[in-house]
Amino acid sequence: MEESKFILVELKTPYMGQTKWLFGSKKAIYDTLPANVVGIALTTLQNRYNLEEVYENPKCTMQKLVLHRTITNRGKRK
């Protein structure tokens, strides 16, 4: 079984019409959402929080989730 980790960001007020956003890394969050929408700076998020537990502030909630996938016979395998 393969696993992929991603970060779920749930905004308390919509940004660009969405409240739920999925990202592959902490940096990817800030490539799409401005820091004032998220409510925390990237350096603070990277240095203080690992997101294994739910992080919450007045503007959003963030958590790291794992997507479990089965291995298929499609495509090239090494």
Side-chain angles (χ1 to χ4, degrees):
M1 185 181 310
E2 294 184 24
E3 294 182 350
S4 296
K5 294 183 182 178
F6 61 93
I7 299 169
L8 173 64
V9 177
E10 294 184 75
L11 301 173
K12 303 211 174 153
T13 57
Y15 178 75
M16 294 175 44
Q18 287 184 244
T19 56
K20 292 184 181 181
W21 298 78
L22 293 174
F23 298 98
S25 68
K26 292 177 183 177
K27 173 70 171 105
I29 296 168
Y30 295 90
D31 290 341
T32 306
L33 302 175
N36 63 342
V37 171
V38 178
I40 186 172
L42 173 61
T43 53
T44 306
L45 185 63
Q46 287 176 328
N47 293 333
R48 291 193 180 172
Y49 303 100
N50 65 7
L51 298 181
E52 296 298 330
E53 296 178 11
V54 176
Y55 166 78
E56 187 171 1
N57 67 31
K59 295 190 175 194
C60 76
T61 302
M62 294 184 204
Q63 61 183 320
K64 188 182 288 184
L65 300 172
V66 177
L67 175 66
H68 299 279
R69 297 182 293 177
T70 187
I71 298 174
T72 66
N73 290 326
R74 294 181 296 165
K76 295 181 181 178
R77 287 196 273 166
K78 296 180 181 180

Coordinates of all heavy atoms in Angstrom, one line a residue:
M1 N 0.8 -1.2 0.0 CA 0.0 0.0 0.0 C 0.9 1.2 0.0 O 1.9 1.3 0.7 CB -0.9 0.0 1.2 CG -1.9 1.1 1.2 SD -3.0 1.3 2.6 CE -3.7 -0.3 2.7
E2 N 0.5 2.2 -0.8 CA 1.3 3.5 -0.9 C 0.5 4.5 -0.1 O -0.7 4.5 0.1 CB 1.4 3.9 -2.3 CG 2.2 3.0 -3.2 CD 2.4 3.5 -4.6 OE1 2.3 4.8 -4.8 OE2 2.6 2.7 -5.5
E3 N 1.3 5.5 0.4 CA 0.7 6.6 1.2 C 1.2 7.9 0.6 O 2.3 8.0 0.2 CB 1.1 6.5 2.7 CG 0.5 5.3 3.4 CD 0.9 5.3 4.9 OE1 1.8 6.1 5.3 OE2 0.4 4.5 5.6
S4 N 0.3 8.9 0.6 CA 0.7 10.3 0.3 C 0.2 11.1 1.4 O -1.0 11.0 1.9 CB 0.0 10.7 -1.0 OG 0.5 9.9 -2.1
K5 N 1.0 12.1 1.8 CA 0.6 13.0 2.9 C 0.2 14.3 2.2 O 0.8 14.8 1.2 CB 1.7 13.2 3.9 CG 2.0 12.0 4.7 CD 3.1 12.2 5.7 CE 3.4 10.9 6.4 NZ 4.4 11.1 7.4
F6 N -0.8 15.0 2.8 CA -1.2 16.3 2.3 C -1.7 17.1 3.5 O -2.0 16.6 4.5 CB -2.2 16.2 1.1 CG -3.5 15.5 1.5 CD1 -4.6 16.3 1.9 CD2 -3.6 14.2 1.3 CE1 -5.8 15.6 2.2 CE2 -4.8 13.5 1.6 CZ -5.9 14.3 2.1
I7 N -1.9 18.4 3.2 CA -2.4 19.3 4.3 C -3.7 19.8 3.9 O -3.9 20.4 2.8 CB -1.4 20.5 4.5 CG1 0.0 19.9 4.9 CG2 -1.9 21.5 5.5 CD1 1.1 20.9 4.9
L8 N -4.7 19.7 4.8 CA -6.0 20.2 4.6 C -6.1 21.6 5.3 O -5.9 21.6 6.5 CB -7.1 19.3 5.1 CG -8.5 19.8 5.1 CD1 -9.0 20.1 3.7 CD2 -9.4 18.8 5.8
V9 N -6.4 22.6 4.5 CA -6.6 24.0 5.1 C -8.1 24.3 5.0 O -8.7 24.3 3.9 CB -5.8 25.0 4.4 CG1 -6.1 26.4 5.0 CG2 -4.3 24.7 4.5
E10 N -8.8 24.5 6.1 CA -10.2 24.9 6.1 C -10.3 26.3 6.6 O -10.0 26.6 7.8 CB -11.0 24.0 7.0 CG -11.1 22.5 6.5 CD -11.9 21.7 7.4 OE1 -13.2 21.8 7.3 OE2 -11.4 20.9 8.2
L11 N -10.7 27.2 5.7 CA -10.8 28.6 6.0 C -12.1 28.9 6.7 O -13.1 28.3 6.3 CB -10.7 29.5 4.8 CG -9.3 29.4 4.0 CD1 -9.4 30.1 2.7 CD2 -8.2 29.8 4.8
K12 N -12.2 29.8 7.6 CA -13.4 30.1 8.3 C -14.3 31.1 7.4 O -15.5 31.1 7.6 CB -13.1 30.7 9.6 CG -12.3 29.7 10.5 CD -12.6 29.7 11.9 CE -11.8 28.6 12.5 NZ -11.4 28.8 13.9
T13 N -13.6 31.9 6.5 CA -14.4 32.7 5.5 C -13.8 32.3 4.2 O -12.6 32.1 4.0 CB -14.2 34.2 5.8 OG1 -12.8 34.5 5.8 CG2 -14.8 34.6 7.1
P14 N -14.7 32.2 3.2 CA -14.2 31.8 1.8 C -13.2 32.7 1.2 O -13.2 33.9 1.4 CB -15.5 31.7 1.0 CG -16.6 31.7 2.0 CD -16.1 32.4 3.2
Y15 N -12.3 32.1 0.5 CA -11.3 32.9 -0.3 C -11.4 32.3 -1.8 O -11.3 31.1 -2.0 CB -9.9 32.7 0.2 CG -8.8 33.4 -0.6 CD1 -8.7 34.7 -0.6 CD2 -8.0 32.6 -1.5 CE1 -7.7 35.4 -1.3 CE2 -7.0 33.3 -2.3 CZ -6.9 34.7 -2.2 OH -6.0 35.3 -2.9
M16 N -11.7 33.2 -2.7 CA -12.0 32.8 -4.1 C -13.1 31.8 -4.2 O -13.0 30.8 -5.0 CB -10.7 32.3 -4.8 CG -9.6 33.4 -4.9 SD -8.0 32.8 -5.6 CE -8.4 31.8 -6.9
G17 N -14.1 31.9 -3.3 CA -15.2 31.0 -3.4 C -15.1 29.7 -2.7 O -16.0 28.8 -2.8
Q18 N -13.9 29.4 -2.1 CA -13.7 28.1 -1.5 C -13.3 28.2 0.0 O -12.6 29.2 0.4 CB -12.5 27.4 -2.2 CG -12.8 26.8 -3.5 CD -11.6 26.1 -4.1 OE1 -11.0 26.5 -5.1 NE2 -11.2 25.0 -3.4
T19 N -13.7 27.2 0.8 CA -13.3 27.2 2.2 C -12.3 26.1 2.5 O -11.6 26.1 3.4 CB -14.5 27.1 3.1 OG1 -15.2 25.9 2.8 CG2 -15.3 28.3 3.1
K20 N -12.3 25.0 1.6 CA -11.4 23.9 1.8 C -10.4 23.8 0.7 O -10.7 23.8 -0.5 CB -12.2 22.6 1.9 CG -13.1 22.5 3.1 CD -13.8 21.1 3.2 CE -14.7 21.1 4.4 NZ -15.4 19.9 4.6
W21 N -9.1 23.7 1.1 CA -8.0 23.6 0.2 C -7.1 22.5 0.6 O -6.8 22.3 1.8 CB -7.2 25.0 0.3 CG -8.0 26.2 -0.1 CD1 -8.9 26.8 0.6 CD2 -8.0 26.8 -1.4 NE1 -9.5 27.9 -0.1 CE2 -8.8 27.9 -1.3 CE3 -7.2 26.7 -2.6 CZ2 -9.0 28.8 -2.4 CZ3 -7.4 27.5 -3.6 CH2 -8.3 28.6 -3.5
L22 N -6.6 21.8 -0.4 CA -5.6 20.7 -0.2 C -4.2 21.1 -0.8 O -4.2 21.5 -1.9 CB -6.1 19.4 -0.8 CG -7.3 18.8 -0.2 CD1 -7.8 17.6 -1.1 CD2 -7.1 18.3 1.2
F23 N -3.2 20.8 0.0 CA -1.8 21.2 -0.4 C -0.9 20.0 -0.1 O -1.1 19.3 0.8 CB -1.4 22.4 0.3 CG -2.2 23.6 0.0 CD1 -3.2 24.0 0.8 CD2 -2.0 24.3 -1.2 CE1 -4.0 25.1 0.6 CE2 -2.8 25.5 -1.5 CZ -3.8 25.9 -0.6
G24 N 0.2 20.0 -0.9 CA 1.2 18.9 -0.7 C 2.3 19.3 0.2 O 3.1 18.5 0.7
S25 N 2.4 20.6 0.6 CA 3.5 21.1 1.5 C 3.0 22.4 2.1 O 2.1 23.0 1.7 CB 4.8 21.3 0.8 OG 4.7 22.4 -0.1
K26 N 3.7 22.8 3.2 CA 3.4 24.1 3.8 C 3.7 25.2 2.9 O 3.0 26.2 2.8 CB 4.3 24.2 5.1 CG 3.8 23.3 6.2 CD 4.7 23.4 7.4 CE 4.4 22.4 8.5 NZ 5.3 22.4 9.6
K27 N 4.8 25.1 2.1 CA 5.1 26.2 1.2 C 4.1 26.4 0.1 O 3.8 27.5 -0.3 CB 6.5 25.9 0.5 CG 6.9 26.8 -0.6 CD 7.3 28.2 -0.1 CE 7.9 29.0 -1.2 NZ 7.0 30.0 -1.7
A28 N 3.5 25.3 -0.4 CA 2.5 25.3 -1.4 C 1.2 26.1 -0.9 O 0.5 26.7 -1.8 CB 2.1 23.9 -1.8
I29 N 1.0 26.1 0.4 CA -0.2 26.9 0.9 C 0.0 28.3 0.5 O -0.9 29.0 0.1 CB -0.3 26.7 2.4 CG1 -0.6 25.3 2.8 CG2 -1.3 27.7 3.0 CD1 -0.4 25.0 4.3
Y30 N 1.2 28.9 0.7 CA 1.5 30.3 0.6 C 1.7 30.7 -0.9 O 1.8 31.8 -1.2 CB 2.6 30.7 1.5 CG 2.3 30.6 2.9 CD1 2.5 29.4 3.6 CD2 1.6 31.6 3.6 CE1 2.1 29.2 4.9 CE2 1.2 31.4 4.9 CZ 1.4 30.2 5.6 OH 1.0 30.1 6.9
D31 N 1.9 29.7 -1.8 CA 1.9 30.0 -3.2 C 0.5 30.3 -3.7 O 0.4 30.9 -4.8 CB 2.5 28.8 -4.0 CG 4.0 28.6 -3.7 OD1 4.6 29.6 -3.3 OD2 4.5 27.5 -4.0
T32 N -0.5 29.8 -3.0 CA -1.9 30.0 -3.4 C -2.7 31.0 -2.5 O -3.4 31.8 -3.0 CB -2.6 28.7 -3.4 OG1 -1.9 27.7 -4.2 CG2 -4.0 28.8 -3.9
L33 N -2.5 30.9 -1.2 CA -3.2 31.7 -0.3 C -2.3 32.7 0.4 O -1.2 32.4 0.8 CB -3.8 30.8 0.8 CG -4.8 29.7 0.4 CD1 -5.2 28.8 1.6 CD2 -6.0 30.2 -0.3
P34 N -2.7 34.0 0.4 CA -1.9 35.0 1.1 C -1.9 34.7 2.6 O -2.8 34.2 3.2 CB -2.7 36.3 0.8 CG -3.7 36.0 -0.2 CD -3.9 34.5 -0.2
A35 N -0.8 35.2 3.3 CA -0.6 35.0 4.7 C -1.7 35.6 5.5 O -2.1 35.1 6.5 CB 0.7 35.5 5.2
N36 N -2.3 36.7 5.1 CA -3.4 37.4 5.8 C -4.7 36.6 5.8 O -5.5 36.7 6.6 CB -3.6 38.8 5.4 CG -4.0 38.9 3.9 OD1 -3.9 38.0 3.1 ND2 -4.5 40.1 3.6
V37 N -4.8 35.7 4.7 CA -6.0 34.9 4.7 C -5.8 33.7 5.6 O -6.8 33.2 6.3 CB -6.3 34.4 3.2 CG1 -7.3 33.3 3.1 CG2 -6.6 35.6 2.3
V38 N -4.6 33.2 5.7 CA -4.3 32.0 6.5 C -4.2 32.4 8.0 O -4.6 31.6 8.8 CB -3.0 31.3 6.0 CG1 -2.6 30.1 6.9 CG2 -3.1 30.9 4.5
G39 N -3.7 33.5 8.2 CA -3.6 34.0 9.6 C -2.3 33.7 10.3 O -2.2 33.8 11.5
I40 N -1.3 33.1 9.6 CA 0.0 32.8 10.2 C 1.0 32.9 9.1 O 0.7 32.5 7.9 CB 0.0 31.4 10.9 CG1 1.3 31.1 11.6 CG2 -0.4 30.3 9.9 CD1 1.3 29.8 12.5
A41 N 2.2 33.3 9.4 CA 3.3 33.4 8.4 C 3.9 32.0 8.2 O 3.9 31.2 9.0 CB 4.3 34.4 8.9
L42 N 4.5 31.9 7.0 CA 5.1 30.6 6.6 C 6.2 30.2 7.6 O 6.3 29.1 8.0 CB 5.6 30.6 5.2 CG 6.4 29.4 4.7 CD1 5.6 28.2 4.8 CD2 7.0 29.7 3.3
T43 N 7.1 31.2 7.9 CA 8.2 30.8 8.8 C 7.7 30.4 10.2 O 8.3 29.5 10.8 CB 9.2 32.0 8.9 OG1 8.4 33.2 9.3 CG2 9.9 32.3 7.6
T44 N 6.7 31.0 10.7 CA 6.1 30.6 12.0 C 5.5 29.2 11.9 O 5.8 28.4 12.8 CB 5.1 31.6 12.4 OG1 5.6 32.9 12.4 CG2 4.6 31.3 13.8
L45 N 4.8 29.0 10.8 CA 4.2 27.6 10.7 C 5.3 26.6 10.5 O 5.2 25.5 11.2 CB 3.3 27.6 9.4 CG 2.5 26.4 9.1 CD1 1.6 26.1 10.3 CD2 1.8 26.5 7.8
Q46 N 6.3 26.8 9.8 CA 7.4 25.9 9.6 C 8.2 25.6 10.9 O 8.6 24.5 11.2 CB 8.4 26.3 8.5 CG 7.8 26.2 7.1 CD 8.7 26.7 6.1 OE1 9.5 27.7 6.3 NE2 8.7 26.1 4.9
N47 N 8.4 26.7 11.7 CA 9.3 26.5 12.9 C 8.6 26.0 14.1 O 9.2 25.4 15.0 CB 10.0 27.9 13.2 CG 10.9 28.3 12.1 OD1 11.5 27.5 11.4 ND2 11.1 29.6 11.9
R48 N 7.3 26.3 14.2 CA 6.6 26.0 15.5 C 5.6 24.8 15.4 O 5.3 24.2 16.4 CB 5.8 27.2 16.0 CG 6.7 28.3 16.4 CD 6.0 29.3 17.2 NE 6.9 30.3 17.6 CZ 6.4 31.5 18.2 NH1 5.2 31.6 18.4 NH2 7.3 32.4 18.6
Y49 N 5.1 24.5 14.2 CA 4.0 23.5 14.1 C 4.4 22.4 13.1 O 4.8 22.7 12.0 CB 2.7 24.2 13.7 CG 2.3 25.3 14.7 CD1 2.6 26.6 14.4 CD2 1.7 25.0 15.9 CE1 2.2 27.6 15.3 CE2 1.4 26.0 16.8 CZ 1.6 27.3 16.5 OH 1.3 28.3 17.4
N50 N 4.2 21.1 13.5 CA 4.4 20.0 12.6 C 3.1 19.5 11.9 O 3.1 18.7 11.1 CB 5.1 18.9 13.2 CG 4.3 18.2 14.3 OD1 3.2 18.5 14.5 ND2 5.0 17.3 15.1
L51 N 2.0 20.0 12.3 CA 0.6 19.7 11.8 C 0.2 18.2 12.0 O -0.7 17.8 11.4 CB 0.5 20.1 10.3 CG 0.7 21.6 10.1 CD1 0.5 21.9 8.6 CD2 -0.3 22.4 10.9
E52 N 1.0 17.5 12.8 CA 0.5 16.1 13.1 C -0.8 16.2 14.0 O -1.6 15.4 13.9 CB 1.6 15.3 13.9 CG 2.8 15.1 13.1 CD 2.6 14.2 11.8 OE1 1.7 13.4 11.8 OE2 3.3 14.4 10.8
E53 N -0.8 17.3 14.7 CA -2.1 17.6 15.5 C -2.7 18.8 14.7 O -2.1 19.5 14.0 CB -1.7 18.0 16.9 CG -1.1 16.9 17.7 CD -0.7 17.4 19.1 OE1 -1.2 18.5 19.5 OE2 0.0 16.7 19.8
V54 N -4.0 18.9 14.9 CA -4.8 20.0 14.3 C -4.3 21.4 14.8 O -4.1 21.6 16.0 CB -6.3 19.9 14.5 CG1 -7.0 21.0 13.9 CG2 -6.8 18.5 14.0
Y55 N -4.0 22.3 13.9 CA -3.6 23.6 14.2 C -4.8 24.5 13.9 O -5.4 24.4 12.8 CB -2.4 24.1 13.4 CG -2.2 25.6 13.5 CD1 -1.6 26.2 14.6 CD2 -2.7 26.5 12.5 CE1 -1.5 27.6 14.7 CE2 -2.5 27.8 12.6 CZ -1.9 28.4 13.7 OH -1.8 29.7 13.8
E56 N -5.2 25.4 14.8 CA -6.3 26.3 14.6 C -6.0 27.7 15.0 O -5.3 27.9 16.1 CB -7.5 25.8 15.4 CG -8.8 26.5 15.1 CD -10.0 25.9 15.7 OE1 -9.9 24.9 16.3 OE2 -11.1 26.4 15.4
N57 N -6.4 28.7 14.3 CA -6.4 30.1 14.6 C -7.7 30.7 14.2 O -8.6 30.0 13.7 CB -5.1 30.7 14.0 CG -5.2 30.9 12.5 OD1 -6.3 31.0 11.9 ND2 -4.1 30.8 11.8
P58 N -7.9 32.0 14.5 CA -9.2 32.6 14.2 C -9.6 32.6 12.7 O -10.7 32.8 12.4 CB -9.0 34.1 14.7 CG -8.0 34.0 15.7 CD -7.0 32.9 15.3
K59 N -8.6 32.4 11.8 CA -8.9 32.4 10.4 C -9.0 31.1 9.7 O -9.6 31.0 8.7 CB -7.9 33.3 9.6 CG -7.9 34.7 10.1 CD -7.1 35.6 9.2 CE -7.3 37.1 9.6 NZ -6.8 38.0 8.6
C60 N -8.4 30.1 10.3 CA -8.4 28.8 9.6 C -8.0 27.6 10.5 O -7.6 27.8 11.7 CB -7.4 28.7 8.4 SG -5.7 28.6 8.9
T61 N -8.2 26.4 10.0 CA -7.8 25.2 10.7 C -6.9 24.4 9.7 O -7.3 24.3 8.5 CB -9.0 24.3 11.1 OG1 -9.9 25.1 11.9 CG2 -8.6 23.1 11.8
M62 N -5.8 23.8 10.2 CA -4.9 23.0 9.3 C -4.6 21.7 10.0 O -4.5 21.6 11.2 CB -3.6 23.7 9.1 CG -3.6 25.0 8.4 SD -2.0 25.6 8.1 CE -2.3 27.3 7.9
Q63 N -4.5 20.7 9.1 CA -4.1 19.4 9.6 C -3.5 18.5 8.5 O -3.8 18.7 7.4 CB -5.3 18.6 10.2 CG -6.4 18.3 9.3 CD -7.6 17.7 10.0 OE1 -7.4 16.8 10.8 NE2 -8.8 18.0 9.6
K64 N -2.6 17.7 8.9 CA -1.9 16.8 8.0 C -2.7 15.5 7.9 O -3.0 14.9 9.0 CB -0.5 16.5 8.4 CG 0.3 15.8 7.3 CD 1.7 15.5 7.8 CE 2.6 16.7 7.8 NZ 4.0 16.5 8.1
L65 N -3.0 15.0 6.7 CA -3.8 13.8 6.5 C -3.0 12.9 5.6 O -2.1 13.3 4.9 CB -5.1 14.1 5.9 CG -6.0 15.1 6.7 CD1 -7.2 15.4 5.9 CD2 -6.4 14.4 8.0
V66 N -3.3 11.6 5.7 CA -2.7 10.6 4.9 C -3.7 10.0 3.9 O -4.8 9.6 4.3 CB -2.0 9.5 5.8 CG1 -1.4 8.4 4.9 CG2 -1.0 10.1 6.7
L67 N -3.3 9.9 2.7 CA -4.2 9.2 1.6 C -3.6 7.8 1.4 O -2.4 7.7 1.0 CB -4.2 10.0 0.4 CG -4.9 9.4 -0.8 CD1 -6.4 9.4 -0.5 CD2 -4.6 10.3 -2.1
H68 N -4.3 6.8 1.6 CA -3.9 5.4 1.4 C -4.3 5.0 0.0 O -5.5 5.1 -0.3 CB -4.5 4.5 2.5 CG -4.1 4.9 3.9 ND1 -2.9 4.5 4.4 CD2 -4.7 5.6 4.8 CE1 -2.8 5.0 5.6 NE2 -3.9 5.6 5.9
R69 N -3.4 4.5 -0.7 CA -3.7 4.0 -2.1 C -3.2 2.6 -2.3 O -2.2 2.2 -1.7 CB -3.0 4.9 -3.1 CG -3.4 6.3 -3.1 CD -2.8 7.1 -4.1 NE -1.3 7.2 -3.8 CZ -0.4 7.8 -4.5 NH1 -0.8 8.4 -5.7 NH2 0.8 7.9 -4.2
T70 N -3.8 1.9 -3.1 CA -3.4 0.5 -3.4 C -2.5 0.6 -4.6 O -2.6 1.4 -5.5 CB -4.6 -0.4 -3.7 OG1 -4.1 -1.7 -3.8 CG2 -5.4 0.0 -5.0
I71 N -1.6 -0.4 -4.7 CA -0.6 -0.5 -5.8 C -1.4 -1.2 -7.0 O -2.0 -2.2 -6.8 CB 0.6 -1.3 -5.4 CG1 1.4 -0.5 -4.3 CG2 1.5 -1.5 -6.6 CD1 2.5 -1.3 -3.7
T72 N -1.2 -0.6 -8.2 CA -1.9 -1.1 -9.3 C -0.9 -1.7 -10.3 O 0.3 -1.5 -10.1 CB -2.7 -0.1 -10.1 OG1 -1.8 0.9 -10.6 CG2 -3.7 0.6 -9.1
N73 N -1.3 -2.4 -11.3 CA -0.5 -2.9 -12.4 C -0.3 -2.0 -13.5 O 0.3 -2.3 -14.5 CB -1.0 -4.3 -12.9 CG -0.9 -5.3 -11.8 OD1 0.1 -5.3 -11.1 ND2 -1.9 -6.2 -11.8
R74 N -0.8 -0.8 -13.4 CA -0.7 0.2 -14.5 C 0.6 1.0 -14.5 O 1.1 1.2 -13.4 CB -1.9 1.2 -14.4 CG -3.2 0.5 -14.7 CD -4.3 1.6 -14.6 NE -4.4 2.1 -13.3 CZ -5.0 3.2 -12.9 NH1 -5.7 3.9 -13.8 NH2 -5.1 3.6 -11.7
G75 N 1.1 1.3 -15.6 CA 2.3 2.2 -15.7 C 3.5 1.4 -15.4 O 3.5 0.2 -15.2
K76 N 4.7 2.1 -15.5 CA 6.0 1.4 -15.3 C 6.3 1.3 -13.8 O 5.9 2.1 -13.0 CB 7.1 2.3 -15.9 CG 7.0 2.4 -17.4 CD 8.1 3.2 -18.0 CE 8.0 3.3 -19.5 NZ 9.0 4.2 -20.0
R77 N 6.8 0.1 -13.5 CA 7.3 -0.1 -12.1 C 8.8 -0.4 -12.1 O 9.3 -1.1 -13.0 CB 6.5 -1.2 -11.5 CG 5.1 -0.9 -11.1 CD 4.5 -1.9 -10.2 NE 3.9 -2.9 -11.0 CZ 3.6 -4.1 -10.5 NH1 3.7 -4.4 -9.2 NH2 3.1 -5.0 -11.2
K78 N 9.4 0.0 -11.1 CA 10.9 -0.3 -11.0 C 11.2 -1.5 -10.2 O 10.5 -1.9 -9.4 CB 11.6 0.9 -10.4 CG 11.5 2.2 -11.3 CD 12.2 3.3 -10.6 CE 12.0 4.6 -11.5 NZ 12.7 5.7 -11.0

